[in-house]
Amino acid sequence: MNTNYKQLLFELTEQLSFINLEIENPIAKSEKSVQVSLLIYNKLKKQFLKEKSISEEFQIDFFKNIKPKFTSLYIYHNAIFKIETKMPRGGNRIAKKYLNKELKKLKRYFDNNLDFYNYYRTGSSFFDFKYFTRGSHDIKFRLDSFYFEADHNFSTTHDFKVAKILAHDLVQVYIETKILKMDDKEVREKSQHEPKGKMIWTGSKVALTELLYALHSKGVFNNGAIELKEIASFFEENFNIDLGQYRRTFLEIRDRKSDKTKFINALEEELLKRMEETDEAF
């Protein structure tokens, strides 16, 4: 992959990483991710179409290894948006039934394209000149209808199939993880009764991570003689939240181009506002 394409991919993954950290709501998160993915995808297209010399070898590498990395992220986030917006209400049993149906759809696509899955997964290359060069379609290869609607200057018969393979892997992990979390929650609810009035953190994980590091830096617990991970564990247990890779989250917060202490600034603003309103009441 040349430097320009690497930079575009880095830009895309970085922006998606920020979205994942900043937005908690899965629908809003996936919607924003789709917008960003399409924006970078169009940049990729413009850049490719500017190439002056496009050999068969370059085409194969681009349409087999480069473009699908971008397309798959759009397909994935668009699929998550559809899954989340169609998620039925009515409890975990109904939700899990719905999610298992989505897994079966992925399985059907796999079954219908088994030959190409095997070709791609085994690293085969003997049909690359047909699959991944422009203008060489063969109806015997069971083409997706998408190909006939696509811009043939920027597509081949099978680059979209590769992207769907990559995307479906991500969707499968997303759905299975969601089902596992539902199962874990059910087990916890059966094994222990939540005390009435327990506080649950309803802000974002990023905000709590920012607060976590601020409190640890100030040394407000045990006169500062306490590890960061101990405070994190306390927050997770008492606020019923999984902070995940909070150290990585802190690095993302630190690298913000502006408003690095976004949550703490918001706290100060709300507190000052409340003080002003209290003064006016008297």
Side-chain angles (χ1 to χ4, degrees), residues 108-122:
R108 279 199 297 272
Y109 187 83
F110 169 81
D111 291 339
N112 291 335
N113 293 276
L114 185 58
D115 289 343
F116 184 71
Y117 265 86
N118 289 334
Y119 177 88
Y120 179 73
R121 293 297 192 197
T122 56

Side-chain angles (χ1 to χ4, degrees), residues 153-174:
N153 289 317
F154 191 59
S155 62
T156 66
T157 57
H158 284 68
D159 68 88
F160 190 73
K161 280 185 183 290
V162 173
K164 290 198 80 168
I165 289 175
L166 300 176
H168 283 187
D169 286 345
L170 296 174
V171 174
Q172 181 176 342
V173 170
Y174 180 91

Side-chain angles (χ1 to χ4, degrees), residues 53-117:
S53 177
I54 302 179
S55 64
E56 181 178 283
E57 183 181 5
F58 176 78
Q59 282 192 68
I60 290 171
D61 182 48
F62 181 83
F63 289 110
K64 185 177 185 179
N65 302 311
I66 299 174
K67 183 188 171 188
K69 287 183 171 69
F70 293 82
T71 316
S72 64
L73 290 172
Y74 162 73
I75 296 171
Y76 165 68
H77 290 292
N78 191 47
I80 300 307
F81 178 78
K82 290 179 179 178
I83 288 170
E84 290 291 348
T85 52
K86 293 179 181 178
M87 183 78 69
R89 297 183 180 182
N92 285 350
R93 186 180 63 82
I94 295 174
K96 283 194 288 186
K97 184 178 180 181
Y98 163 75
L99 291 172
N100 279 310
K101 283 184 178 179
E102 292 300 313
L103 285 176
K104 287 179 181 177
K105 289 180 184 178
L106 300 181
K107 179 67 165 55
R108 279 199 297 272
Y109 187 83
F110 169 81
D111 291 339
N112 291 335
N113 293 276
L114 185 58
D115 289 343
F116 184 71
Y117 265 86

Side-chain angles (χ1 to χ4, degrees), residues 213-248:
Y213 273 84
L215 294 172
H216 181 255
S217 300
K218 186 64 176 173
V220 296
F221 297 111
N222 298 3
N223 294 316
I226 188 171
E227 295 290 333
L228 179 70
K229 63 181 179 181
E230 293 180 70
I231 306 174
S233 296
F234 176 84
F235 279 7
E236 289 181 321
E237 183 179 346
N238 287 276
F239 294 154
N240 194 28
I241 188 171
D242 178 10
L243 286 172
Q245 297 180 336
Y246 56 86
R247 296 181 190 277
R248 179 182 171 186

Side-chain angles (χ1 to χ4, degrees), residues 193-206:
H193 179 67
E194 292 281 340
K196 189 175 181 180
K198 180 172 180 177
M199 289 191 297
I200 297 175
W201 181 267
T202 54
S204 71
K205 292 181 183 179
V206 180

